[in-house]
Amino acid sequence: MKTTLLAALGLTLASVCNLALAGPTLDRIEKNGELVNVLMENYPPFSFLNDQNQLDGFDVDVAKAVADKLGVKLRLETPSWDVIAAGRWNGRYDICICSMTPSQARAQVFDFPVTYYASPAVIVVNASDDRIHSAKDLSGLKVGVTSASSYEGYLNKDLVIEGAEDKPLTYPFDAVQVAPYDNDTVAFHDLALGAGVRLDAILTNLVTAQPRIDQDKRFKLAGDALYAEPNAVAIEKDDAEWRAKVESVFAELRQDGTLAAISKKWIGSDISQ
């Protein structure tokens, strides 16, 4: 009887220890049998609604691959970007595989365990516009960006990329009129109306801009890329076990070629390196 009781107690303690080691996020994921990933609804080719009105794209496929590695279902949530980027999710979301740039300001509320792709920041203008040839030409002009994005920080001259503090960005323009949008698509609609009608330019990343430029001759790139922009997985701060698990899963996805295959599928080349 005593032996049985001690054995049962040992099993109970082991279970408690395992839960403690799992960390709050991983424990929640395993308990619910699902991974909750948060991303934008309208950010092609990374995340967008396809013809079947289902979320699709690079980030969606990466999130699916992570859920598969964890052996759980995937649930996607699409609040506004400012809600995503504000952090302090309080357990509503488990992870942001959502093309977030790891800025110093965001590092106050997020951990960034993995950088999973990189893309340069670029200026897009109306094809009829001959005023803008580089970032210095943005002075005094109205530039569209996604609200609470790293691009807004850049135009406000206060963007510091986490991990690249020794390589400060340069801001060759005077004050810019920043026009925040919920997503790039609406900004592109306004820019298509003509140079200076509602917008003078858009600041976004090359991977999202290039397909629009290729498909719509009303847009063109202006000048060279402004800076290299890493995009990282974001999780709530101070969950060491969940961070370690995310790092491990992405290491597997790199090693087995999954990340490269997803990148080639959506981008046409491997930007995961």
Side-chain angles (χ1 to χ4, degrees):
M1 179 70 174
K2 188 181 291 185
T3 303
T4 304
L5 189 60
L6 287 172
L9 181 60
L11 286 172
T12 301
L13 288 172
S15 297
V16 171
C17 289
N18 285 336
L19 286 174
L21 288 172
T25 306
L26 191 54
D27 180 43
R28 182 174 64 244
I29 292 168
E30 292 175 348
K31 180 181 177 181
N32 296 336
E34 71 173 8
L35 174 72
V36 182
N37 183 61
V38 62
L39 40 61
M40 295 180 71
E41 186 179 280
N42 204 337
Y43 194 57
F46 296 100
S47 52
F48 60 95
L49 290 174
N50 62 22
D51 293 339
Q52 288 75 47
N53 205 38
Q54 296 176 331
L55 281 165
D56 210 348
F58 178 96
D59 282 342
V60 175
D61 279 359
V62 173
K64 287 177 180 176
V66 171
D68 286 345
K69 290 287 187 185
L70 294 172
V72 297
K73 298 182 297 181
L74 175 66
R75 177 156 62 92
L76 299 172
E77 296 286 348
T78 57
S80 63
W81 180 254
D82 54 353
V83 170
I84 295 172
R88 297 184 174 87
W89 299 333
N90 297 316
R92 288 175 296 167
Y93 319 122
D94 302 318
I95 195 168
C96 166
I97 301 170
C98 63
S99 300
M100 184 181 286
T101 299
S103 70
Q104 196 173 67
R106 288 172 178 163
Q108 302 303 308
V109 292
F110 291 113
D111 281 336
F112 299 103
V114 176
T115 296
Y116 67 113
Y117 80 88
S119 177
V122 294
I123 301 167
V124 181
V125 299
N126 190 280
S128 65
D129 197 335
D130 292 323
R131 301 169 299 161
I132 303 170
H133 304 282
S134 67
K136 68 179 182 179
D137 298 323
L138 297 178
S139 301
L141 299 183
K142 190 172 184 179
V143 183
V145 293
T146 298
S147 177
S149 66
S150 56
Y151 310 115
E152 186 171 8
Y154 177 78
L155 293 178
N156 288 328
K157 302 186 179 183
D158 61 6
L159 175 62
V160 180
I161 295 175
E162 180 72 1
E165 293 85 353
D166 59 333
K167 300 175 182 176
L169 299 175
T170 58
Y171 305 103
F173 45 83
D174 295 327
V176 173
Q177 299 178 56
V178 180
Y181 286 80
D182 285 341
N183 55 67
D184 268 6
T185 298
V186 181
F188 271 92
H189 286 164
D190 282 355
L191 186 63
L193 298 176
V197 176
R198 288 188 180 171
L199 282 179
D200 296 294
I202 293 171
L203 186 59
T204 187
N205 87 68
L206 179 62
V207 176
T208 60
Q210 195 63 62
R212 297 179 191 270
I213 293 169
D214 292 342
Q215 296 165 15
D216 193 328
K217 300 308 178 186
R218 292 176 295 180
F219 307 119
K220 66 180 180 181
L221 293 175
D224 297 328
L226 302 181
Y227 56 93
E229 186 175 55
N231 289 271
V233 175
I235 59 174
E236 290 182 294
K237 284 188 74 67
D238 302 325
D239 189 337
E241 291 77 19
W242 180 222
R243 180 184 182 116
K245 187 64 174 179
V246 171
E247 290 172 345
S248 173
V249 166
F250 271 85
E252 290 181 36
L253 293 175
R254 289 189 193 281
Q255 187 173 19
D256 66 17
T258 300
L259 268 185
I262 292 172
S263 181
K264 290 173 183 176
K265 172 186 174 181
W266 289 105
I267 313 302
S269 61
D270 184 8
I271 61 172
S272 69
Q273 301 301 320

